[in-house]
């Protein structure tokens, strides 16, 4: 499998689930952690995850000069966050997935780690309904999962609105490392009047015109613009996010980065300033 | 040679030609087929292909809600179709190419499988004229061929209008597989007023403004929007193409996919839903 | 290190510097040349380069039908040219870098060949000031250097305006070849009224609106549109640059191409007509 290819269209995920549901909302920590399950099957473990689809207003840009008052958006979410929680299994594990639709519109799931339509797809799930199915982690790598709306009808709106996350299938042998993930995505917001203007407090929704003409209002990292950028400017400082999170690593520590580009339109050129990546 | 690099800018092709001309318009079947030639030279065979350049109105979108009445376009074509026919040779084969210009404007050919300008390029061929030259399949892989207009003067219009196709140079050892190809491209149509409006029956032409601002009206697969998509929506169904073609494969059958992005502007992120690609 | 990854975001550079400063403006020749330094350290040599940041009007398009009168632009430059000079070191060499700011705004340097922030970054350098630091060529490959403005504040404007160049770190064993480099970039010019109109002699500046909507006025190769294209059209000839430069190679000569895409927005699909690349 071509890992670099995969890397360009997805990410990964932490919160490893034992037999019981363990939700570890990714954004309380950038670190990918893992917990061991208890059941075994075909040499692998059996793990469970529940994803709750719903609609929810979320803050997608901090209050700064570029976005006066911050930006709030009528998002579509898995488990209430953009992106949805990260999921982590080992090669050979079986993952049972439950999709509960607690929202007001039809949602669904496409798990790119699943091999075969019955493993990858939930089919349309109506409001108030739920569905459970399972996949086996056959190929190691990082894979996106996302909403496919109602049988692809509305897929771009549902993805743009925030319904994506990542699953990592760890290979059987892997050097231990501190793991991070960053999900890139674009937001097309009909209430956003542009840089230094913002939305004047209005929570906007998907703008199909901006989407078709590929003019996003925000590029987000893990669900928010400038999430990890406190400020720019050494001499003339421009504050961007006074609550910015930081990636913390010890000198000499091996790190592994899972990068996902949920898009839906633009590419991503990720690099470390003063660093090197091996892929 | 970096095959994945090549894959991003082209496709491939079937209709293998013996000494005589055998035209197998690709869109009567999605399968790449092959016929054996009879002559031998330097261990390879000698094959012939004739490509006829002309201008022709073609349907590029089906009649559906997104494109009421369908979309007809003043296309530029090789052998009357978008894309042009696919061509298939084996490594070491010699391919004799004849370009006949039966159109009203100057056309030409750039064969990316050709190594050396005299092997790759026809030069400008005026209306009513023709030119024959040959190339040897030196490097295995999939390669685009396209019109270069009059010495690059007009190349983007001629490519956008439909003058592209693919040639595959099969490596000497290759596992037998059922082969498919999909050519992606964008159309910039001065008669198209957008989604749910369409052209009101007018056959449009290349729109340089839409091209420069990278706002295509259609993204086509093998020459037509929604060619392989009967409908979207499980609960709320939206019919897109009642004559949609399907890719048919037996369970367990090995398949090989040649993907070409004729562009000219946008990238393509091709993947199988619930499947895996090895490259 | 993934060289093809690196290739997509940068270029390289010639003018090898001994202990004394040797400036070989790249555009007097397209060939990457090298000179031997004299000092040794850790098995490598110590080399020095001085980059002078300043603002300067430059011609960025020739006088032709597409750009009547040519296009002049208020550029930001390293050593007075777009791109800045190319720099070439060997793996294991130490490179001392001096950034002198002779301009009117804050500038800085980010050397992607440097491993570690103190090796890669100058920090903000005010007008009239200078700073010297050093890096070691640890990883072979081609890397971009560019202005980071004032701690990223203004980075896209400074890069778009011309502040980028390349450094090549030659691997310890490398087949000798004639080397070329081509830097691609986009220009967003508030004075440019478009094709066949141009600027009517006005020197424009960075247009943030065109930048955000990804509508560049020019795509440049080594700092000028149509730098290497005398004309297009065999039958109907359109002259583009009567002073166009050419890449000259002897039959059978091995060549090595360093391709950099300074962007900042668009991708580059570089290929040879009638040729093959091995990467």
């Amino acid at each position: 499998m071509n890992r670099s290819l995969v890397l360009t269209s997805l990410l990964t995920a932490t919160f490893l689930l034992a037999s019981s549901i363990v939700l570890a909302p990714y954004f309380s920590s950038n670190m990918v952690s893992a917990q061991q399950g208890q059941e075994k099957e075909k040499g692998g473990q059996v793990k469970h995850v529940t994803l709750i689809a719903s609609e929810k207003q979320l803050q997608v840009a901090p209050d700064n000069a570029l976005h006066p008052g911050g930006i709030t958006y009528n998002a579509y979410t898995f488990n209430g966050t953009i992106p949805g929680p990260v999921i982590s299994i080992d090669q050979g594990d079986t993952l049972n997935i439950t999709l509960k639709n607690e929202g007001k519109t039809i949602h669904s799931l496409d798990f790119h780690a699943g091999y075969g339509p019955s493993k990858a797809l939930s089919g349309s799930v109506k409001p108030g309904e739920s569905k459970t199915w399972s996949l086996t982690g056959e190929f190691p790598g990082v894979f996106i999962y996302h909403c496919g709306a109602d049988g692809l009808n509305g897929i771009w709106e549902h993805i743009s609105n925030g319904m994506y996350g990542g699953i990592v299938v760890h290979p059987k042998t892997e050097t231990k490392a501190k793991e991070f993930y960053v999900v890139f995505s674009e937001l097309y917001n009909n209430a956003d009047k542009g840089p230094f203007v913002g939305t004047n407090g209005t929570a906007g929704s998907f703008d199909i015109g901006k989407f078709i003409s590929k003019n996003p209002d925000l590029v987000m990292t893990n669900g928010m613009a400038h999430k990890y950028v406190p400020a720019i400017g050494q001499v003339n400082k421009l504050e961007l996010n006074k609550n910015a999170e930081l990636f913390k690593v010890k000198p000499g520590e091996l790190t592994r980065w899972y990068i996902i580009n949920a898009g839906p339109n633009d590419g991503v050129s990720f690099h470390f300033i003063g660093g090197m990546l091996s892929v």
Side-chain angles (χ1 to χ4, degrees), chain A:
Chain A
M1 199 186 52
N2 186 322
R3 287 178 66 110
S4 64
L5 204 81
V6 172
L7 278 168
T8 62
S9 60
L10 358 163
L11 111 115
T12 196
T14 168
F15 89 102
L16 223 280
L17 309 168
S19 315
S20 58
I21 295 166
V22 182
L23 289 185
Y26 80 96
F27 54 88
S28 68
S29 161
N30 302 304
M31 199 177 73
V32 176
S33 59
Q35 303 185 20
Q36 288 296 96
Q38 281 120 16
E39 302 170 46
K40 292 248 175 187
E41 189 178 272
K42 294 179 204 153
Q45 299 184 340
V46 179
K47 294 162 181 172
H48 308 263
V49 62
T50 295
L51 292 173
I52 299 172
S54 65
E55 300 92 31
K56 185 181 176 184
Q57 284 195 2
L58 286 178
Q59 187 174 359
V60 290
D63 176 13
N64 61 27
L66 280 170
H67 316 291
I71 306 280
T72 301
Y73 185 77
N74 290 304
Y76 289 6
T77 62
F78 288 120
N79 293 8
T81 62
I82 301 179
V86 285
I87 301 165
S88 173
I89 64 173
D90 293 320
Q91 195 173 3
D93 285 353
T94 297
L95 180 68
N96 297 325
I97 305 155
T98 297
L99 172 62
K100 287 183 67 176
N101 188 346
E102 298 185 354
K104 293 174 183 161
T105 186
I106 295 167
H107 294 295
S108 60
L109 265 172
D110 178 352
F111 257 83
H112 283 215
Y115 187 59
S118 66
K119 304 296 184 187
L121 301 174
S122 69
S124 294
V125 177
K126 294 180 189 171
E129 298 186 350
S130 74
K131 183 161 180 187
T132 297
W133 77 102
S134 68
L135 64 84
T136 306
E138 296 193 35
F139 301 91
V142 286
F143 303 90
I144 198 174
Y145 66 83
H146 60 82
C147 183
D150 174 25
L152 300 178
N153 194 350
I155 180 171
W156 302 123
E157 178 175 1
H158 287 232
I159 292 179
S160 295
N161 282 353
M163 299 192 92
Y164 44 79
I167 172 168
V168 61
V169 181
H170 290 280
K172 284 179 178 167
T173 59
E174 187 177 61
T175 309
K176 202 179 169 185
K178 190 166 184 178
E179 300 188 329
F180 297 93
Y181 57 97
V182 185
V183 189
F184 291 84
S185 59
E186 309 128 23
L187 199 77
Y188 302 87
N189 184 352
N190 63 9
D192 198 335
K193 307 300 179 196
F196 302 102
V197 180
T199 59
N200 199 23
T202 307
S205 300
F206 182 63
D207 188 314
I208 196 168
K210 290 178 176 179
F211 173 75
I212 288 178
S213 59
K214 293 172 228 156
N215 285 314
D217 298 283
L218 296 177
V219 174
M220 309 195 295
T221 43
N222 287 338
M224 181 173 276
H226 310 124
K227 183 160 188 171
Y228 305 99
V229 188
I232 55 170
Q234 282 185 301
V235 177
N236 302 306
K237 196 172 175 176
L238 175 64
E239 190 174 77
L240 289 178
N241 187 354
K242 55 187 162 199
N243 301 312
E245 297 181 27
L246 294 176
F247 301 102
K248 291 179 184 169
V249 182
K250 292 174 194 151
E253 196 172 10
L254 180 66
T255 62
R256 185 173 294 120
W257 294 76
Y258 300 108
I259 305 300
I260 186 171
N261 178 16
N265 273 324
D266 290 335
V268 164
S269 300
F270 181 83
H271 76 283
F272 292 98
I273 298 178
M276 296 282 163
L277 278 166
S278 58
V279 290

